[in-house]
Amino acid sequence: RSLFVRHASGVRNEGKGAPFLHSFHKAFPGSPPKVHVRGEGVYVYDQDGKKILDGLAGLWSVSLGYGQTRIVDAAAKQMALLPFFHTFWNQGHDVGYELAEKLQQFI
């Protein structure tokens, strides 16, 4: 199954959802995007199974690497309890306050 979108003018090769998802898709006209399907440690794997070093750590959002079970477990636990709550109007959540207290030691 192709991940590329066919338009009346032909295949744009920008990928599914490209106008929204691929902010730099115009930089490589005519080139299909790389489609990554999983990550492990410091590597990602594309749809063809090619192993690629992610030197940017998921644009700085995966600095501890992919597939870290302790992070996955902690996130799953928190998602089951309270996945989100705003901090407007003098409200918050326990985990946010706990993190704030820990971060104060670095100030």
Side-chain angles (χ1 to χ4, degrees):
R1 181 176 145 203
S2 175
L3 293 174
F4 304 117
V5 179
R6 180 169 292 282
H7 294 269
S9 62
V11 177
R12 288 176 38 189
N13 288 333
E14 296 172 359
K16 189 174 186 177
F20 177 73
L21 298 175
H22 302 293
S23 56
F24 296 104
H25 73 282
K26 300 286 186 209
F28 304 98
S31 297
K34 290 184 178 182
V35 179
H36 301 100
V37 296
R38 69 182 182 92
E40 183 179 314
V42 296
Y43 296 98
V44 292
Y45 295 81
D46 69 13
Q47 64 187 13
D48 299 320
K50 183 177 178 185
K51 182 179 180 179
I52 303 161
L53 175 66
D54 182 4
L56 292 177
L59 284 178
W60 316 288
S61 62
V62 193
S63 59
L64 299 178
Y66 296 93
Q68 295 290 327
T69 55
R70 64 191 172 120
I71 295 172
V72 171
D73 294 344
K77 179 180 175 185
Q78 185 59 43
M79 292 295 286
L81 292 173
L82 183 67
F84 171 81
F85 195 81
H86 66 82
T87 56
F88 298 134
W89 305 295
N90 200 28
Q91 299 183 69
H93 43 83
D94 57 345
V95 177
Y97 289 120
E98 290 169 14
L99 176 61
E101 287 179 11
K102 290 179 182 179
L103 292 175
Q104 283 181 345
Q105 69 182 330
F106 298 106
I107 298 175

